Amino acid sequence: MSTYITKRILYMIIILFAASFLIFCLYALTPGDFITGNIKLTPERKAELREIYGLNKPVIERYWTWMKNAFHGDFGYSLAQQKPVLTLFNQYIWNSFLLAIISTFLTWFIAVVVGVFVAYKQYSWIDTFVMLFLFAAMSIPSFFIGLFLIKILAVDWKWLPPGGMLTTGSNATGLAYVKEVIHHMTLPVIVMTLLGVGSLTRYFRSNMIDVIKQDYIRTARAKGLKERKVLFTHALRNALLPAITLVGFELPALFGGSLIIEKIFNWPGIGQLYMQSFTLRDYPLLMGFTMFIAILTVIGTLLSDILYRVADPRVRL
Amino acid sequence: MKKRVVTLSTAILVCAILLTACGSNSNNAGTANNGAPSTNQAAPSNTASNAGTTPAADANGLYQASDMSKLPDTAKNRTDTIIVGLTDPSGAFTPYFQQSGYDGNVSSLLYTPLLSVDNKGLPIPGLAEKWDVSADNLTYTYHLRKDLKFSDGSPLTADDVAFTWTILHDKSYDGDSQVSTLHVVGGEDYKAGKATSISGIKVIDPQTISVTLEQPNASALTLLGSDVLSKAYYGKEYKQGQLDYMKKLSSSPLGNGPYKLEKFIPGQEVRMIANENYFGGKPKTEHFIYKTSDGDTWQYLETGEVDYASFSATKENIDKLKELGFVNVQAYTPSNYGYLQVNLAHPALKDKLVRQALTYGLDRQSIYVEASQGAYQVANIPSSLISWAYTEEGINPYKYDPEKAKQLLDQAGWKVGADGIREKDGKKLTIHYLGSKKPDTDVFIAVAKEDYEALGIKFEPEVFADFNALVSKVEGGDYDLVSFSTSLLTDPADGLLQFVDGEIAGYDNPKFKELYAKGLATSNIDERKEIYKQIFQLLNDDLPVIFTSYKKSVYAYNGRIQNLSISPFNGLAPSLPNWTLSK
C-alpha cells in the first residue's frame, strides 16, 4: 500500500510538471496578450509595456520564471486586478465552493434515493415519468432555465432575489447574514441541482438494475431478508462502487466554479473571474487557477483509488 | 456517463462561446473607458432625430417616469443610498494605476481632476480654479483653489500635483496614462534615470504649478489636468524606478472626490460614503454603491435593486423601459466613433478609389440604422458626434450608391472577370473581413456580403469570439477589413492619433500630418475648429479607414433621483454630489 502511494505521488509530480508546461504554452501561444486588447495604447507604448511585463521574452524563459516563483510560493500579481493571485483565489473560491458543495450534496442525495427507487420500480409508470422529467431537466440549457426562473420567481413573483450573494448595501451579520446568503443562493442551487441530477440518477438507476439481477440478491431474498434490507444493504452498496470514480472528479468541480451559473446569477465566484481573466489574458491568474484545478484533479483521482480500496476489500493496491 | 460528459462539454462550449462574446465586449468597453467612465449623457443635437420615432420625449430627449406608484419596495425603502450597476470593478482604485475602465468609473468618484470638461469637451474648472497657457503654447500654469483637502483632511497642494506628474514619467510606470507622451521638458531624462526630478515641472507656490513642454500640444491642458495623488500617502515609499509598492495601495485609495471608499466586496459591491472634505461641499446623498452586474441587466432595474442602468438605444429597449413606469429614460451618444480598419497593404485597398467605392457600395444606413432599430447613426468623419469640433460642412456623406461604386472600381482598373468577380493584373478582388462575435456583426456580414458581391467583390467574413485574438490577427496583417470602435475621446486630436502613431499602418499623408501638428499647436478653440474641419474633410475624402457609425444608448434611472445629469466625457461623477432622493 505505502509503496503504491509513493509511486503514485511520484507520477503525480511528473504529471503536474508536464501539465504546467502544457498549460503555460497553451496560454502563451493563444493569439493576443494582455497588452493587445487595450485599444488606447499607441504601438510604441505597447512595446514598452511588453518589456516591463516581460511579455516579449521567449515562452520557455517566461515559463521558467513562472515556475521558479511558483516554487517559492509566489504565484504573482494579477495584471488586471493588481492583487496577488492567491488573495484573489481566497476572495472568490469560497463563494464558488459554497454553491458547489450544497448543490453537489443535493444532487447526490436525490440521485441515490430516486435512482434506487425507480430501479426497483423499473418500467412502472412512475419510472417513465421520472425519467421523462430528468431528461427534460438535463436537456434544457442552463442559461435558459436560469433566466426563466429569474423571470418567474424573482421579477414577476418577487419571491427570491434575482442574483448576487447579498442584498446590496446590507450590513447584516451573524444569523441574519446566513439567512440572506441562503435566500440568494436558492435559485442557483435549484438550477445546478436540476442540471446535475438527471445524469447521476440515470447512472444509479442502471447500476442498481444490474446489481438487482445478480445471484447474491436472489440469494438474499431467498434467505427471507426484508426487501428494504436487500435493497439498501446488499444492492445499494454494490451499486455505489463505480460511483467512487465520480467522487474523484467532483473534487475539482467543487472549487472550479461554474461559468454559466455564476454569470447568470451574478454570483461572485471564481468561474466568472477566470472567464474575465481569459478574455484579458491575465496570465498569472490563468496559470495559477488552471494549475490549482490540475492539482485537485490529480489528488481527486488518487483519492478515488484509495476509496476503492477502503470500500471494496476485493481491490488490492 | 459518456452522454453526460458530451452534453456537459457541449453546453460548456456553447456557453463559453457566448460568454467570451460578452467578455470580449466588456473587455473592449473596459479598456475603452479607461479614465473616462462609461456612462454618458445625451447630446441635444442628435436626440432630435430620435424624437421623431418616440414623440413622448421632451426637448432634451428625456422621457419622464409615468407612474411612480409602480416603484418596487426594494427601491422605496432606500432613503440615503443610491445604487448603480457596474460590470466588473476589480478593486484597483488608484487612478493611472488601474487596468480596467470599470475601476476608472470608481476612481472618478474618489478623485477629482484639476480640470473637468463640459458637455462639448471644453475645459471647465475642477480643483484648479483657473489656468494660463503661455503665448507660445508651451507652458501651462494651473492655479489651485485654496484650502483643498484630501479625504483624510490632509492638505492638497501643488507638490502633490508635481508628484503625480513625476511618477507618471517613471520608467517602471505600467499604466496607460498618456502624460509621458506629451514631451514635458526633462521628462525623458527622468525616465532614463539621468535626472532626479523633471525640470519642466515647477511648483511656484503651494497653489500654483506650471509645466513646460518641448512641443506644443493642445490636448496637454486636459491630459495634465487630471486626478491628483497625495504625495504624503502615495510617495512615502517611492524610489525612482520602483513603483511596485503602488499595487499594495490600490485597494485603499486616498482621494479628494465627492465620495470615499467605505468597503469593497469583491465581485459584489463597491460601497462609498460621502466625503465631508470634498471641495464642492459634502454630497447630498450619504451612500453610493456600485453593484457588480452587467450594465444592462434588466432584472436589477425591474426589481429596484439598482437605480440606474444603461442600454442600447433600440426602439424595443426604449419602449420596454417606458413601460416600467418608474424610471426616467434619457438617450445619449458616447464620445467615440466606429470604423472599418482597412489593410492598406492590400493591392486594391491601398487605392483611394477602391476605398471610396467600398464606402459608397456599403448600405450603412440599413446596417446601422434600420437593422439596429436606431441604435446607431452613420459616421463619416473621425470625430465623436458630440465634440465641439464635429462638423458636416464639406463632408461627403457617401450615401449608398452601388452604381457610383461600380464606376469607381472600373476607374481604379478592377474589371469584372469571367466569373463575375472583379480582377486586375490577374488578381481577384477579395476582401477578408474580421469581426467580433455579436449580433451587430451578424447584421453587418449579411448586408455587406450581399452589397459587395453585387459589386463583384468576393467577401470572406471571419468572426472572432475573442477580442484579443482578433486584434493580434490584425497586428499580424492577416486581414483586409475589420470592425473597430475607438475608446471614448475627449479632445478631437484623440480620435486622430491612430492615423499618426503608426496604428493604421501604411497611411502617410504629409498634408494630414501638417494639419494634425497645426491643430495641436494652438489652444484657441476657433482656430482649432477651422483646422479640424479641414482635417475631417481631408480624411473624409482620403478614407484611411471607412467610417461607419456612432453607437447610441439610453440610460434609465429611478424617477426618485433628482438633479441627475450625465457628462458625455466624465460620466455621472460631476453631477453625483447633487443627486438627491425625493420622498
Side-chain angles (χ1 to χ4, degrees):
Chain A
M1 178 82 178
S2 68
T3 46
Y4 172 78
I5 295 205
T6 337
K7 224 162 83 187
R8 274 300 294 267
I9 288 176
L10 206 70
Y11 286 155
M12 269 166 61
I13 292 171
I14 296 170
I15 290 172
L16 285 177
F17 257 111
S20 71
F21 184 69
L22 203 73
I23 296 166
F24 194 91
C25 288
L26 210 65
Y27 285 133
L29 298 178
T30 316
D33 59 25
F34 181 66
I35 313 294
T36 320
N38 191 342
I39 54 173
K40 265 187 76 181
L41 299 173
T42 63
E44 195 186 335
R45 182 69 185 151
K46 280 187 177 175
E48 265 179 30
L49 286 178
R50 288 203 171 101
E51 176 74 41
I52 291 178
Y53 292 134
L55 294 175
N56 53 354
K57 298 206 177 82
V59 175
I60 300 287
E61 198 184 325
R62 281 164 60 192
Y63 174 68
W64 281 121
T65 319
W66 184 83
M67 272 311 262
K68 219 169 63 202
N69 291 335
F71 265 108
H72 291 98
D74 172 15
F75 287 86
Y77 272 80
S78 151
L79 297 173
Q81 318 240 350
Q82 309 268 308
K83 276 188 210 144
V85 167
L86 294 180
T87 310
L88 285 169
F89 285 177
N90 196 28
Q91 284 173 348
Y92 286 88
I93 277 184
W94 298 111
N95 298 337
S96 291
F97 180 73
L98 183 67
L99 266 195
I101 191 84
I102 292 182
S103 61
T104 307
F105 173 77
L106 283 176
T107 311
W108 278 70
F109 181 75
I110 295 173
V112 168
V113 171
V114 176
V116 170
F117 183 71
V118 293
Y120 181 61
K121 301 254 179 192
Q122 199 189 357
Y123 302 138
S124 69
W125 66 269
I126 198 155
D127 180 29
T128 321
F129 176 77
V130 167
M131 281 305 118
L132 209 67
F133 174 77
L134 291 177
F135 269 117
M138 256 164 80
S139 347
I140 299 173
S142 56
F143 56 87
F144 176 78
I145 194 160
L147 290 175
F148 182 72
L149 289 180
I150 289 176
K151 167 87 178 113
I152 300 292
L153 295 175
V155 177
D156 291 347
W157 296 350
K158 300 196 170 48
W159 287 0
L160 292 166
M165 193 170 153
L166 287 176
T167 310
T168 315
S170 143
N171 286 315
T173 48
L175 211 60
Y177 176 83
V178 173
K179 220 175 122 189
E180 209 169 84
V181 173
I182 291 176
H183 196 50
H184 279 79
M185 69 189 294
T186 309
L187 264 183
V189 165
I190 290 177
V191 174
M192 283 172 88
T193 310
L194 265 182
L195 291 172
V197 82
S199 48
L200 212 57
T201 310
R202 301 258 324 146
Y203 187 75
F204 285 127
R205 176 179 175 270
S206 58
N207 276 349
M208 198 64 186
I209 289 173
D210 282 349
V211 173
I212 285 177
K213 289 185 183 140
Q214 298 291 325
D215 292 346
Y216 56 82
I217 297 295
R218 199 181 51 196
T219 313
R221 279 182 179 148
K223 280 197 302 186
L225 285 179
K226 284 212 175 83
E227 189 63 16
R228 175 180 305 236
K229 197 164 164 62
V230 173
L231 271 186
F232 285 94
T233 323
H234 293 246
L236 183 60
R237 274 194 69 161
N238 285 295
L240 279 179
L241 273 181
I244 289 175
T245 317
L246 291 182
V247 175
F249 286 128
E250 291 286 359
L251 189 68
L254 285 179
F255 293 92
S258 157
L259 305 184
I260 307 153
I261 301 291
E262 285 173 9
K263 185 91 190 162
I264 295 170
F265 292 101
N266 208 18
W267 191 263
I270 192 86
Q272 278 210 59
L273 184 72
Y274 172 76
M275 206 58 226
Q276 284 149 7
S277 307
F278 183 75
T279 49
L280 291 170
R281 304 287 193 276
D282 191 345
Y283 298 116
L285 210 157
L286 290 175
M287 266 315 282
F289 180 66
T290 321
M291 272 317 287
F292 175 67
I293 295 298
I295 291 170
L296 286 181
T297 311
V298 176
I299 293 178
T301 39
L302 177 69
L303 212 66
S304 58
D305 285 355
I306 294 173
L307 277 178
Y308 264 119
R309 170 73 172 74
V310 175
D312 189 347
R314 288 168 299 183
V315 176
R316 291 276 162 263
L317 295 178
Chain B
M1 186 55 211
K2 202 157 193 178
K3 183 179 262 152
R4 181 192 189 206
V5 174
V6 172
T7 25
L8 216 92
S9 50
T10 337
I12 288 173
L13 196 76
V14 166
C15 298
I17 290 168
L18 276 171
L19 290 179
T20 22
C22 322
S24 53
N25 285 348
S26 46
N27 171 22
N28 195 349
T31 45
N33 294 337
N34 221 335
S38 65
T39 37
N40 296 277
Q41 196 212 20
S45 61
N46 71 294
T47 42
S49 61
N50 214 26
T53 50
T54 39
D58 73 3
N60 294 318
L62 175 77
Y63 312 99
Q64 286 284 355
S66 54
D67 183 5
M68 286 304 290
S69 67
K70 288 187 183 164
L71 185 70
D73 291 340
T74 321
K76 218 180 286 176
N77 295 338
R78 280 197 302 269
T79 50
D80 64 345
T81 307
I82 290 174
I83 302 176
V84 172
L86 184 64
T87 307
D88 181 32
S90 78
F93 296 141
T94 318
Y96 309 112
F97 288 83
Q98 48 203 191
Q99 296 291 343
S100 132
Y102 306 119
D103 289 332
N105 288 37
V106 177
S107 66
S108 75
L109 304 184
L110 304 176
Y111 296 79
T112 309
L114 290 173
L115 301 183
S116 192
V117 289
D118 67 7
N119 286 353
K120 294 225 154 232
L122 294 170
I124 51 172
L127 294 178
E129 55 185 348
K130 57 184 196 304
W131 54 91
D132 313 310
V133 182
S134 65
D136 57 4
N137 284 304
L138 288 175
T139 303
Y140 299 81
T141 311
Y142 297 85
H143 303 274
L144 305 186
R145 288 171 203 268
K146 284 204 177 63
D147 302 325
L148 289 173
K149 284 193 181 108
F150 286 104
S151 60
D152 65 348
S154 61
L156 186 162
T157 66
D159 278 328
D160 297 304
V161 182
F163 165 73
T164 307
W165 290 342
T166 304
I167 59 171
L168 296 180
H169 285 87
D170 194 279
K171 79 168 187 316
S172 66
Y173 172 67
D174 65 352
D176 59 5
S177 163
Q178 312 275 350
V179 165
S180 67
T181 63
L182 287 173
H183 303 287
V184 174
V185 172
E188 278 303 311
D189 287 347
Y190 186 80
K191 197 169 189 172
K194 286 190 225 150
T196 52
S197 65
I198 299 176
S199 53
I201 299 173
K202 289 197 185 70
V203 175
I204 296 163
D205 63 48
Q207 251 87 55
T208 319
I209 183 163
S210 80
V211 56
T212 309
L213 308 183
E214 282 166 2
Q215 59 194 61
N217 189 332
S219 60
L221 186 69
T222 44
L223 214 54
L224 288 164
S226 190
D227 299 331
V228 179
L229 301 177
S230 159
K231 185 177 182 180
Y233 184 68
Y234 290 104
K236 247 187 330 225
E237 292 181 53
Y238 178 58
K239 279 193 231 43
Q240 196 172 348
Q242 191 48 260
L243 279 169
D244 274 355
Y245 71 94
M246 287 296 284
K247 289 196 180 102
K248 283 185 287 181
L249 301 174
S250 69
S251 51
S252 53
L254 174 68
N256 45 34
Y259 283 85
K260 51 188 183 182
L261 186 69
E262 187 186 5
K263 191 177 181 189
F264 170 61
I265 313 176
Q268 301 188 68
E269 292 168 38
V270 187
R271 291 185 189 173
M272 285 174 267
I273 188 163
N275 173 13
E276 66 276 15
N277 289 316
Y278 180 55
F279 81 90
K282 191 179 175 187
K284 305 221 165 49
T285 307
E286 185 71 19
H287 299 278
F288 183 85
I289 298 176
Y290 267 131
K291 177 185 169 70
T292 301
S293 70
D294 276 342
D296 57 352
T297 22
W298 285 95
Q299 61 263 36
Y300 300 116
L301 189 69
E302 284 181 71
T303 53
E305 296 227 346
V306 300
D307 291 308
Y308 172 107
S310 165
F311 302 87
S312 179
T314 61
K315 191 170 177 307
E316 188 188 346
N317 281 348
I318 294 175
D319 288 346
K320 197 170 158 194
L321 287 170
K322 283 196 287 186
E323 238 167 69
L324 287 182
F326 60 90
V327 293
N328 294 348
V329 183
Q330 170 88 57
Y332 74 100
T333 311
S335 67
N336 59 355
Y337 66 87
Y339 60 95
L340 291 169
Q341 187 169 325
V342 177
N343 188 347
L344 296 167
H346 186 282
L349 297 173
K350 64 184 175 201
D351 187 341
K352 181 170 108 180
L353 293 175
V354 177
R355 297 198 297 270
Q356 288 179 339
L358 290 182
T359 315
Y360 275 119
L362 182 66
D363 191 353
R364 291 176 298 162
Q365 181 74 17
S366 291
I367 299 172
Y368 297 108
V369 183
E370 274 129 44
S372 68
Q373 302 180 333
Y376 289 93
Q377 192 170 331
V378 172
N380 285 302
I381 56 169
S383 158
S384 77
L385 195 60
I386 50 175
S387 162
W388 51 263
Y390 181 82
T391 177
E392 285 177 10
E393 202 183 318
I395 298 298
N396 182 350
Y398 291 100
K399 265 212 155 63
Y400 178 54
D401 187 349
E403 289 317 309
K404 173 106 187 172
K406 282 179 193 161
Q407 189 193 323
L408 284 166
L409 285 169
D410 285 337
Q411 200 182 327
W414 292 89
K415 306 276 192 238
V416 182
D419 54 356
I421 307 287
R422 284 174 191 270
E423 51 186 48
K424 184 179 177 181
D425 308 329
K427 269 198 170 149
K428 295 210 180 296
L429 183 46
T430 44
I431 286 180
H432 178 198
Y433 166 82
L434 312 182
S436 307
K437 174 119 195 77
K438 54 183 176 189
D440 291 346
T441 307
D442 298 341
V443 174
F444 179 88
I445 289 174
V447 178
K449 196 168 171 62
E450 192 175 316
D451 286 353
Y452 284 154
E453 274 167 8
L455 299 178
I457 300 168
K458 197 157 174 232
F459 186 75
E460 292 166 341
E462 188 180 354
V463 176
F464 284 79
D466 180 90
F467 187 67
N468 274 9
L470 177 130
V471 175
S472 98
K473 192 149 184 175
V474 172
E475 282 178 348
D478 185 12
Y479 76 105
D480 298 327
L481 214 56
V482 55
S483 290
F484 277 136
S485 168
T486 64
S487 52
L488 292 185
L489 313 165
T490 312
D491 193 85
D494 298 346
L496 300 172
L497 186 65
Q498 55 172 335
F499 303 111
V500 277
D501 70 1
E503 211 175 316
I504 308 285
Y507 183 65
D508 189 21
N509 183 337
K511 177 93 197 298
F512 166 70
K513 284 194 172 149
E514 186 198 321
L515 282 169
Y516 179 80
K518 233 171 112 186
L520 287 176
T522 170
S523 301
N524 182 315
I525 294 296
D526 291 325
E527 278 174 46
R528 294 191 75 198
K529 255 187 194 164
E530 190 50 41
I531 297 165
Y532 285 110
K533 191 166 88 188
Q534 288 175 35
I535 292 181
F536 296 151
Q537 287 168 351
L538 178 78
L539 293 178
N540 171 258
D541 182 63
D542 250 0
L543 293 179
V545 301
I546 295 174
F547 305 109
T548 54
S549 59
Y550 300 116
K551 186 171 174 55
K552 294 200 277 184
S553 302
V554 286
Y555 59 86
Y557 62 97
N558 199 307
R560 294 190 311 154
I561 302 179
Q562 308 294 317
N563 310 324
L564 182 151
S565 73
I566 301 296
S567 150
F569 303 99
N570 294 313
L572 43 79
S575 80
L576 184 58
N578 298 320
W579 291 15
T580 53
L581 286 169
S582 65
K583 292 279 148 14

